[in-house]
Amino acid sequence: MADTTGNTSEAGAATDANSNSAPRKSSWKYIGPGIVVAATGVGAGDLVATLIAGSNFGYTLLWAAIIGCLVKISLAEAAGRWHLSTGRTLFDGWAGLGRWTTYFFVVYVVIWGFVYGAAAMSSSALPLQALFPDVMDLKWWGIACGLVGLVFVWFNKYAVFEKVMTVLVGVMFVVTVYLAIRVTPNLGDAFAGLLPVLPDEKDSVLNTLGLIGGVGGTITLAAYGYWVNAKGWTNTGWMKVMRLDNRVAYATTGVFVIAMLFVGAELLHARNIAIEGGDKGLVQLSDILAAEYGTVTAKFFLIGFFATSFTSLIGVWHGVSLMFADFVARYRKRAQTKGEEIASGERERSWPFRAYLLWLTFPPMVLLFEGQPFRLVIIYGVLGAAFLPFLAGTLIWLLNSDRTPREWRNGWVSNGMLTIAGLLFLVLCVKQIWDQPWADFF
């Protein structure tokens, strides 16, 4: 993707006070945060959504999946550019826009974290129960996954976390690409799917927008800048590297979702097979794979399913806890929070980081036994839908103002992409709010 600032100056040509190192050349050896954001952003729900899109429409919406990746590239690049060009964290930027951002963030992370924690544990548990059906009940598998994630993130710093995520992404990559090849995709139809054509179905526009918006993460896009800092990248000398890393992230995401769309188109659409929505649809897919290609392929897929779910779990456990720790630090000292503080590793050892880890792990276990309260699920859905318009809008605000050094402010390409993203997510947010059963809520 082109330099989205629209500037002709060399990336990393540090002129601001914060730039104290020479520009690094783009190099594959530096890649890391992008792998983490790709692994965290692509959860079981993303794979199911793409699988169902392939099942319902064949290759028709392949172009929409690709556009979804391009939109998210722009959002993550903007978040990373803010961290590197200003030396400040994203929450510090949000705090400068007014107290309303703090109120939104606090309500969001508390409610979202409570519900997401249960969903992540349950999603990680499903493939394990399918692989080892006679060992223990689903909810106990979920508790085990949550505890393993807690212990792993609690005792390891970013460097180890990144290495484990990279291994799990490798597993995801091999499994999804193998399945895409195994179903023998029709390449002619796939290339035709690159043309922007809408399915001849009711609500096709909204379904297409939903697929575009659903590819590759929500709050993890905001966490990307924090992982960039945790990697040790804290100034504009790393700008070229960050942009390469970000493109690799969403190229990887694109491979995952396109591969699953191929599976949906060839294995389900061609045979007129329907699967359930939600994570259980992937367990159902494993049964279909076993019938078509044998038990080994089905188990191989379940391993990939677990890698997909568990990377999302530990990615959120680490990334959102890092954001929460930064929020608390900014609130307590009432002064700017810097990327160097994230790079030092002190946030990962702080009590707010670990307190939010505990919040993600233990209170949600109640939901594994009791089920999710109806009203809470509605609030969770509304807040989740509102986060990406919030992110896109605030990034446009921050990166077009004097809060950002002039050479790193948005150019027309970045403004255009962020505006498209903001409008897309605003439409989806309004639809999500409209679709909620408010009559039953009150």
Side-chain angles (χ1 to χ4, degrees):
M1 189 173 174
D3 181 345
T4 54
T5 61
N7 297 313
T8 57
S9 61
E10 194 70 359
T15 58
D16 57 271
N18 141 302
S19 302
N20 53 16
S21 61
R24 271 74 172 181
K25 292 183 178 179
S26 297
S27 174
W28 292 94
K29 70 180 180 180
Y30 294 125
I31 299 302
I35 297 297
V36 172
V37 77
T40 307
V42 179
D46 298 279
L47 296 188
V48 172
T50 314
L51 187 68
I52 291 176
S55 171
N56 290 340
F57 308 118
Y59 294 103
T60 304
L61 292 180
L62 179 59
W63 63 273
I66 293 172
I67 288 179
C69 292
L70 294 177
V71 167
K72 298 295 179 69
I73 283 176
S74 299
L75 283 166
E77 187 275 340
R81 178 154 44 92
W82 166 264
H83 277 251
L84 296 182
S85 65
T86 65
R88 297 160 59 192
T89 64
L90 184 56
F91 186 81
D92 190 72
W94 285 341
L97 300 179
R99 290 187 178 181
W100 66 275
T101 59
T102 300
Y103 300 147
F104 176 81
F105 179 77
V106 171
V107 174
Y108 176 80
V109 295
V110 170
I111 295 177
W112 181 89
F114 180 58
V115 179
Y116 180 83
M121 287 186 273
S122 179
S123 179
S124 298
L126 279 168
L128 291 176
Q129 188 187 43
L131 283 166
F132 310 104
D134 300 322
V135 175
M136 55 183 168
D137 189 68
L138 180 67
K139 54 181 170 287
W140 295 110
W141 276 117
I143 289 171
C145 290
L147 292 175
V148 169
L150 170 70
V151 171
F152 171 73
V153 174
W154 188 291
F155 290 106
N156 288 293
K157 291 187 179 179
Y158 175 80
V160 176
F161 165 71
E162 182 189 287
K163 287 182 173 62
V164 171
M165 293 288 272
T166 301
V167 171
L168 292 173
V169 165
V171 174
M172 293 165 60
F173 187 91
V174 170
V175 170
T176 54
V177 170
Y178 166 76
L179 287 178
I181 295 172
R182 191 76 172 83
V183 299
T184 317
N186 185 319
L187 295 182
D189 288 348
F191 280 115
L194 296 175
L195 296 174
V197 176
L198 292 175
D200 186 18
E201 299 279 345
K202 182 183 177 182
D203 295 329
S204 61
V205 173
L206 290 175
N207 289 334
T208 302
L209 292 178
L211 179 62
I212 294 172
V215 173
T218 51
I219 196 171
T220 53
L221 292 164
Y224 178 65
Y226 287 86
W227 285 321
V228 163
N229 287 159
K231 180 76 169 175
W233 307 346
T234 58
N235 55 58
T236 55
W238 292 100
M239 196 70 77
K240 276 188 174 180
V241 176
M242 182 275 292
R243 284 173 169 156
L244 173 64
D245 179 75
N246 181 45
R247 292 162 194 159
V248 169
Y250 284 93
T252 305
T253 299
V255 170
F256 293 149
V257 297
I258 290 169
M260 291 307 289
L261 190 139
F262 281 12
V263 173
E266 293 295 341
L267 186 61
L268 304 178
H269 182 72
R271 294 168 172 78
N272 198 28
I273 300 173
I275 63 169
E276 296 180 52
D279 299 345
K280 291 182 179 179
L282 293 183
V283 176
Q284 189 179 352
L285 177 62
S286 72
D287 296 333
I288 297 168
L289 289 170
E292 291 287 335
Y293 303 114
T295 304
V296 173
T297 296
K299 290 188 180 298
F300 189 50
F301 166 71
L302 287 171
I303 292 170
F305 176 9
F306 172 73
T308 300
S309 297
F310 194 65
T311 51
S312 293
L313 186 152
I314 59 176
V316 167
W317 263 229
H318 185 276
V320 184
S321 296
L322 205 54
M323 293 181 69
F324 183 78
D326 186 56
F327 152 71
V328 173
R330 177 67 169 73
Y331 181 79
R332 292 176 70 192
K333 69 181 187 180
R334 307 285 182 177
Q336 290 184 356
T337 49
K338 301 286 190 178
E340 285 89 347
E341 297 170 32
I342 308 296
S344 71
E346 67 177 66
R347 291 280 189 273
E348 294 167 278
R349 298 187 296 270
S350 67
W351 70 261
F353 180 91
R354 290 176 171 173
Y356 194 73
L357 264 179
L358 295 173
W359 174 253
L360 283 168
T361 307
F362 289 106
M365 290 180 182
V366 174
L367 302 184
L368 296 177
F369 291 90
E370 301 295 332
Q372 296 180 352
F374 175 71
R375 290 181 176 82
L376 186 63
V377 171
I378 291 179
I379 296 171
Y380 167 79
V382 170
L383 287 172
F387 184 80
L388 284 176
F390 166 80
L391 177 62
T394 53
L395 284 172
I396 290 173
W397 191 346
L398 291 170
L399 293 169
N400 282 288
S401 70
D402 57 8
R403 296 175 177 85
T404 303
R406 183 174 298 277
E407 61 267 39
W408 301 113
R409 292 178 196 169
N410 281 355
W412 67 270
V413 176
S414 188
N415 274 327
M417 292 297 290
L418 289 176
T419 300
I420 290 169
L423 292 174
L424 164 67
F425 297 126
L426 184 61
V427 170
L428 294 175
C429 177
V430 171
K431 181 180 185 298
Q432 178 81 356
I433 294 171
W434 182 265
D435 288 344
Q436 298 298 331
W438 295 107
D440 297 329
F441 183 87
F442 300 103

